[in-house]
Amino acid sequence: MSSPTRYRILVNHAARNGADRRWLGIVRAAFDGTDHEVVVPGSLDAMRRVARESVVEGVDVVVVVGGDGSLNVVANQLVNTETALGIIPAGTANDLARALKIPLTPRESCRAILNGEIRTIDVGRVNGRYFLTGGGIGIVNDVAEGVHALKSRSGLLGAFTRALGSAAYPLFSGWLVLSAAKIPQTVTLCVDGRDRVQSVILALFIQNQPFIGRTVTSCPHTRQFDGSLGYCRIDWRTRARSLWIAALLNRAGAHEGAEEVELGEGKTFTLVGDEPLSFMADGEPLARAETLEIAVIPAGLRVVSPSA
């Protein structure tokens, strides 16, 4: 007879709903009667350390109450191990949870963990750091950084941005296209060792799933189980045209076929800029360098997802 599943539940109080005591009460009640413990780390560094210790101790499932950033911190310790990741979505976008069709309410997401099945998904790696959902450079990075800064502010502006949730991203991208002093970026892209292509870009997405945020479907054909990463390169034209393309990104892949858009897939990517490139993924800054080396790790992470 197999031993009971051992759970360790990590709660990020800094996540959008992580500080909600009602959520914690629901989680404790749902896991009552199982082999579990609840840990509330005081920082992301502490969360990282507890996740690493969980692998060493043989914990079966590390459950994260948090958003994509919290999942990224924990998953970086779980890749290529036997410890699985469980998700109770408590962030703003909850991209990974939505891609895996995990319910967004605490009671239902707990039920999905307790009654679900473990499967493996691909992960990406950029300059040694793993990511789960996707991100990119150019305006992709600028929008993520800008919204993160606004959400972190006190006062009415910060509260308004947090209340917008994931809708803040397309709104901020439109404002940025119209007002930013410098947007285009010169980048050389090499996919799977093929010829290098230099272009002046508005954005370059590299993703492990079709969408980021609730509305931006930048890589509509990308899946988490196919051993590759999708990319979407958008070349720069004019501000007006860039604003139109940004709008199309929010219409379920309507940008596909636009002359300045290239969609594709690959296993390895080399990005070289004429200045340092900042790469954001899972809503977090993961790398900044003149050369970015990105690769897929097929079936690199075990996750608990709802049973089919």
Side-chain angles (χ1 to χ4, degrees):
M1 181 179 297
S2 61
S3 58
T5 301
R6 182 182 176 191
Y7 301 96
R8 182 165 289 162
I9 303 166
L10 306 186
V11 181
N12 180 10
H13 266 191
R16 189 180 188 195
N17 294 306
D20 192 328
R21 293 185 177 181
R22 294 171 300 173
W23 280 54
L24 189 53
I26 291 170
V27 171
R28 289 185 185 277
F31 282 85
D32 185 40
T34 68
D35 182 359
H36 80 281
E37 62 177 319
V38 177
V39 181
V40 185
S43 65
L44 291 179
D45 282 340
M47 180 173 281
R48 185 178 295 110
R49 174 177 50 78
V50 174
R52 188 164 53 245
E53 292 171 352
S54 299
V55 172
V56 173
E57 295 170 17
V59 173
D60 297 300
V61 181
V62 174
V63 179
V64 176
V65 183
D68 292 309
S70 305
L71 295 174
N72 178 280
V73 167
V74 171
N76 264 268
Q77 312 307 313
L78 306 187
V79 171
N80 291 331
T81 74
E82 291 301 307
T83 300
L85 176 69
I87 304 169
I88 299 176
T92 300
N94 299 309
D95 284 344
L96 183 61
R98 291 190 298 114
L100 294 174
K101 302 193 184 310
I102 293 171
L104 300 182
T105 59
R107 185 172 285 104
E108 293 301 320
S109 58
C110 287
R111 185 174 293 123
I113 294 170
L114 293 168
N115 300 322
E117 59 185 4
I118 293 179
R119 64 194 306 187
T120 57
I121 63 171
D122 304 331
V123 297
R125 183 180 64 210
V126 52
N127 287 17
R129 293 279 302 276
Y130 297 111
F131 61 92
L132 305 173
T133 59
I137 62 173
I139 198 173
V140 187
N141 175 82
D142 298 339
V143 169
E145 281 189 342
V147 173
H148 181 74
L150 288 175
K151 289 195 300 182
S152 301
R153 293 183 62 168
S154 58
L156 289 176
L157 183 57
F160 177 69
T161 305
R162 292 189 292 273
L164 284 174
S166 60
Y169 294 94
L171 291 174
F172 190 84
S173 67
W175 177 83
L176 200 63
V177 167
L178 291 174
S179 65
K182 182 181 183 299
I183 300 177
Q185 195 166 21
T186 301
V187 174
T188 299
L189 171 65
C190 177
V191 182
D192 291 340
R194 298 194 292 269
D195 291 342
R196 295 174 175 242
V197 176
Q198 186 180 74
S199 57
V200 180
I201 65 163
L202 168 69
L204 174 60
F205 296 85
I206 296 183
Q207 294 186 207
N208 192 34
Q209 60 185 49
F211 57 83
I212 54 175
R214 292 184 181 274
T215 60
V216 178
T217 309
S218 44
C219 297
H221 307 296
T222 300
R223 297 296 179 265
Q224 296 166 306
F225 317 100
D226 60 3
S228 64
L229 299 173
Y231 73 92
C232 171
R233 193 191 77 221
I234 305 175
D235 292 337
W236 173 259
R237 293 292 186 267
T238 64
R239 288 184 187 267
R241 182 65 182 178
S242 296
L243 190 63
W244 173 244
I245 293 296
L248 293 180
L249 284 168
N250 291 274
R251 294 185 55 200
H255 61 297
E256 189 172 8
E259 64 176 12
E260 58 267 71
V261 174
E262 178 181 274
L263 297 175
E265 293 186 342
K267 298 181 183 299
T268 62
F269 303 79
T270 300
L271 281 58
V272 181
D274 55 0
E275 57 184 352
L277 303 172
S278 296
F279 187 90
M280 296 281 290
D282 299 343
E284 300 295 321
L286 297 188
R288 179 173 172 79
E290 290 186 4
T291 299
L292 300 176
E293 298 288 350
I294 301 171
V296 65
I297 311 299
L301 180 68
R302 290 160 58 86
V303 298
V304 185
S305 63
S307 298

